[in-house]
Amino acid sequence: MASSGRTSASSSSGGSASPEVDGAISKYQTSQKQSSVESLTTATKVTEINGIYNAIKKISPA
C-alpha cells in the first residue's frame, strides 16, 4: 500500500479507529522516528570515522 502521508487509521478506513489501534499506530510512529534518528546518528559517526581515517592515511608514511 502506498503511503499518502496520512497517519491516522480513521483516514484510511473511513471510520474512527479504536483507542487500541490509535495507540499502536502512535507507538509504531514513535519507534519509526527513533529508528530514523539512530540510523542518522550512526551514519554521521561512520562518516566522521572515515574522515579521520582518511586524514591519518594522508599524513602517515606508506
Side-chain angles (χ1 to χ4, degrees):
M1 180 169 111
S3 175
S4 65
R6 294 183 181 182
T7 57
S8 101
S10 61
S11 64
S12 62
S13 66
S16 64
S18 70
E20 292 85 8
V21 171
D22 287 340
I25 291 170
S26 178
K27 285 181 183 179
Y28 172 78
Q29 289 172 336
T30 299
S31 295
Q32 192 174 34
K33 287 176 185 175
Q34 182 179 357
S35 177
S36 295
V37 168
E38 289 174 6
S39 178
L40 182 57
T41 300
T42 301
T44 301
K45 287 290 184 187
V46 168
T47 301
E48 181 181 338
I49 290 167
N50 283 337
I52 293 168
Y53 170 76
N54 287 331
I56 292 171
K57 255 187 359 182
K58 287 181 181 179
I59 62 173
S60 294

